[in-house]
Amino acid sequence: MALFDFLEKERTVAGAGFNRWLVPPAALAIHLCIGMAYGFSVFWLPLSKALGIKEALACPADIGVLERILSSGCDWQISMLGWMYTMFFVFLGLSAWLFGGWLEHAGPRKAGVVSALCWCGGLVISALGVYQHQIWLMWLGSGVIGGIGLGLGYISPVSTLIKWFPDRRGMATGMAIMGFGGGAMIGAPLADKLMKFFATADSVGVWQTFLVMAAIYFVFMLAGALSYRVPPTGWKPAGWTPPATNTNAMITTRHVHASKVWGIPQFWLVWLVLCLNVTAGIGILGMASPLLQEIFGGQLLGVPLAFNELDTAQKAQIAAIAAGFTGLLSLFNIGGRFVWASCSDYLGRKVTYGIFFVLGLGLYASIPSMAHGGHLALFVGFFCIILSMYGGGFATVPAYLADLFGTQMVGAIHGRLLTAWSAAGVFGPILVNYVREYQIANGVPKAQAYDITMYVLAGLLVVGLICNLLVRPVADKHFMTDAELAAEKKLAHERDAAASNGAAVASNGVTSPVMVAFGWLAVGIPLAIGIAITVQKAAVLFK
């Protein structure tokens, strides 16, 4: 019972001497773990040979879909495994929507613990699925239960960080959400090493890897969740005074209830802004490696040959170069989350998204000519900028929501908005993959099969730009009255918590600088190692 009491929101209210810079590493500890969702493709090839080990054990040609799913006697196709990637982001968005309101009332600590149980428990169930060779257990474990953990873990720090950093909302959320983009840089190399360590003549080492990673992630996520603190009502950073009169009409000092946002036009405009920005970026991110290989082919090796004219050894060489390209994009995806979100504190969120769409439109429209002209450096540079804006869009949108709808329920509103990510996670890959396949099926050379795709994506950005331009301040009728706000604060335990003894218990006295340094080192060292590995792989692109 004492443990459950410790998780209550009243017990997380910080004392007067708490250092707010301890909250971002707590958020990063969770985001770096759940960010492994981006790197799950490292398991696909080994799992496609889980029974055959060296070569896939094919299923009978006449086997039905349900029989294939339930079969434990033949290997899974990569297309079957890839459904987990879609499930991750569908259930992330759905759980963030469904449980966002609960999170605001329960607090980030309890939500973080539940996220750890779901994400790590999902890995354990997936390990059982691999051991029993039942793919439905993997879909249930990591796809559904793990996806719910993703949603809760992703939004758990948003509201808290915005309240701790009212002076730098964009930077604060950018720091945390940067971790989600960086999780795969740490997790994928770790998974690769663990699979090699556990691999035997009878096992590809995946189920053992799942169990070890579940244990490691649970420790980090639990430490992050238990380190969360929320500021007492009315808290402000020392030396910071909010402007007496808000000169920016796009930033409100009032609050909208999360249950009302479905009927507010600005919510749907921002929903489309995020969905269109992510659709364009996620489609390219998923096809980055084949895109570079098929467009430039032998030019990557300094030989004038198209992709289909290369031999097996040459294709292996350019595959390694393309892996470096994918790693480079990951770096810009991560860096963009922090840099663009921080810039939005000075430029404004609407202006920042305007830059994303205008600059992105020009870059997407120019890529076909860069490709046909053989300008590899410009081609790579353009995609790096595009992916920085893809990541920046994720990190900037929580502050955009706080500006428009207030901070009281921004976590719950952000959860509802993440359904746009779920939609984009389906639309983006389908758009890029099917347009490419249609082009190739109609005789278009692979090097030119992406031209139409780039123009279509540029068209999506035009629509996104229009939606962003239409965003206006929220009408007065949508904001909570003083009585409604007081009732919501009571549900969120703010009034009682600020005056309770539990607040003093949660954080009494000045936070030790050693603790702050330890928190940042705990997340900074793994992130630095992941970045170093990625830079090393990306260097192949420029040799």
Side-chain angles (χ1 to χ4, degrees):
M1 182 63 69
L3 174 61
F4 290 110
D5 290 341
F6 181 69
L7 298 179
E8 295 298 326
K9 190 174 182 180
E10 293 94 330
R11 299 295 300 272
T12 67
V13 178
F18 182 77
N19 189 329
R20 64 176 176 167
W21 288 98
L22 194 58
V23 180
L28 275 167
I30 291 179
H31 273 234
L32 286 171
C33 294
I34 62 176
M36 179 53 190
Y38 271 135
F40 243 68
S41 59
V42 73
F43 298 117
W44 297 165
L45 189 59
L47 284 174
S48 70
K49 300 182 292 184
L51 295 179
I53 309 299
K54 292 184 178 180
E55 295 291 337
L57 185 62
C59 292
D62 59 347
I63 193 171
V65 175
L66 183 59
E67 290 177 289
R68 186 183 293 272
I69 291 173
L70 297 177
S71 174
S72 59
C74 58
D75 276 315
W76 302 314
Q77 296 172 313
I78 289 179
S79 58
M80 295 174 67
L81 295 163
W83 274 105
M84 192 178 299
Y85 189 75
T86 299
M87 294 170 74
F88 276 149
F89 299 111
V90 169
F91 281 93
L92 183 155
L94 291 176
S95 61
W97 162 32
L98 293 173
F99 299 115
W102 169 80
L103 183 151
E104 292 288 2
H105 299 156
R109 179 181 291 174
K110 186 178 290 186
V113 170
V114 174
S115 171
L117 291 171
C118 289
W119 178 241
C120 300
L123 284 172
V124 172
I125 295 172
S126 288
L128 178 62
V130 176
Y131 186 77
Q132 298 289 341
H133 203 72
Q134 293 292 315
I135 196 168
W136 66 269
L137 276 173
M138 288 188 62
W139 289 343
L140 172 66
S142 289
V144 178
I145 298 173
I148 292 171
L150 283 177
L152 284 172
Y154 191 86
I155 64 173
S156 64
V158 169
S159 178
T160 301
L161 283 168
I162 284 175
K163 290 171 183 175
W164 274 118
F165 292 86
D167 49 338
R168 283 177 278 188
R169 292 174 177 175
M171 182 207 70
T173 55
M175 277 190 291
I177 293 175
M178 174 182 70
F180 191 83
M185 288 198 315
I186 301 170
L190 174 62
D192 185 59
K193 288 186 179 297
L194 287 173
M195 285 188 290
K196 289 177 180 176
F197 177 79
F198 288 117
T200 65
D202 302 315
S203 171
V204 291
V206 175
W207 70 264
Q208 301 96 323
T209 298
F210 278 164
L211 291 178
V212 172
M213 294 186 77
I216 294 171
Y217 285 162
F218 188 73
V219 170
F220 270 85
M221 292 180 74
L222 199 62
L226 298 181
S227 298
Y228 277 145
R229 298 288 187 275
V230 297
T233 303
W235 179 89
K236 295 188 294 292
W240 180 75
T241 303
T245 302
N246 189 0
T247 57
N248 188 343
M250 293 298 295
I251 302 177
T252 185
T253 56
R254 301 172 66 189
H255 309 277
V256 173
H257 197 282
S259 63
K260 293 184 177 181
V261 295
W262 297 118
I264 300 176
Q266 286 86 343
F267 174 81
W268 289 109
L269 288 170
V270 178
W271 192 97
L272 286 169
V273 163
L274 181 65
C275 184
L276 293 165
N277 187 60
V278 173
T279 296
I282 203 169
I284 293 301
L285 191 60
M287 287 294 290
S289 176
L291 182 146
L292 185 78
Q293 294 178 63
E294 291 177 351
I295 288 178
F296 286 96
Q299 185 180 335
L300 297 171
L301 302 175
V303 294
L305 296 175
F307 177 78
N308 288 338
E309 298 172 330
L310 299 174
D311 60 31
T312 303
Q314 289 172 322
K315 286 182 178 180
Q317 286 180 279
I318 68 168
I321 294 172
F325 175 58
T326 304
L328 190 64
L329 295 183
S330 297
L331 286 177
F332 277 83
N333 177 14
I334 296 163
R337 292 170 187 249
F338 178 72
V339 172
W340 283 112
S342 298
C343 288
S344 76
D345 287 330
Y346 303 97
L347 299 174
R349 324 305 169 192
K350 187 174 180 177
V351 170
T352 302
Y353 266 101
I355 293 172
F356 292 165
F357 290 122
V358 172
L359 182 56
L361 171 61
L363 293 176
Y364 275 114
S366 301
I367 282 171
S369 60
M370 292 297 102
H372 300 325
H375 303 297
L376 177 61
L378 284 175
F379 180 90
V380 171
F382 282 14
F383 271 107
C384 287
I385 296 171
I386 286 170
L387 264 294
S388 79
M389 296 188 293
Y390 165 78
F394 280 119
T396 303
V397 82
Y400 204 169
L401 295 174
D403 291 351
L404 289 169
F405 303 107
T407 60
Q408 182 64 36
M409 300 198 73
V410 67
I413 296 171
H414 184 224
R416 284 158 170 77
L417 190 84
L418 288 180
T419 54
W421 188 359
S422 299
V426 176
F427 296 150
I430 287 177
L431 178 65
V432 172
N433 294 340
Y434 280 93
V435 170
R436 169 186 174 274
E437 289 181 6
Y438 177 81
Q439 293 281 94
I440 293 174
N442 282 272
V444 177
K446 286 186 176 181
Q448 300 172 21
Y450 297 93
D451 291 5
I452 297 297
T453 302
M454 295 304 153
Y455 295 133
V456 171
L457 295 180
L460 293 181
L461 295 184
V462 172
V463 179
L465 176 62
I466 294 170
C467 291
N468 188 57
L469 291 173
L470 291 174
V471 175
R472 296 287 186 272
V474 176
D476 289 343
K477 65 180 180 180
H478 298 300
F479 291 102
M480 287 187 276
T481 64
D482 291 342
E484 290 171 334
L485 180 59
E488 179 54 39
K489 286 187 174 182
K490 186 175 182 179
L491 286 173
H493 307 287
E494 289 191 16
R495 179 181 294 177
D496 296 336
S500 70
N501 292 331
V505 174
S507 180
N508 190 20
V510 177
T511 305
S512 167
V514 175
M515 184 180 295
V516 177
F518 177 80
W520 279 102
L521 286 172
V523 295
I525 291 174
L527 186 57
I529 292 173
I531 290 173
I533 293 172
T534 305
V535 168
Q536 185 179 19
K537 290 181 179 178
V540 177
L541 187 62
F542 301 102
K543 287 184 178 179

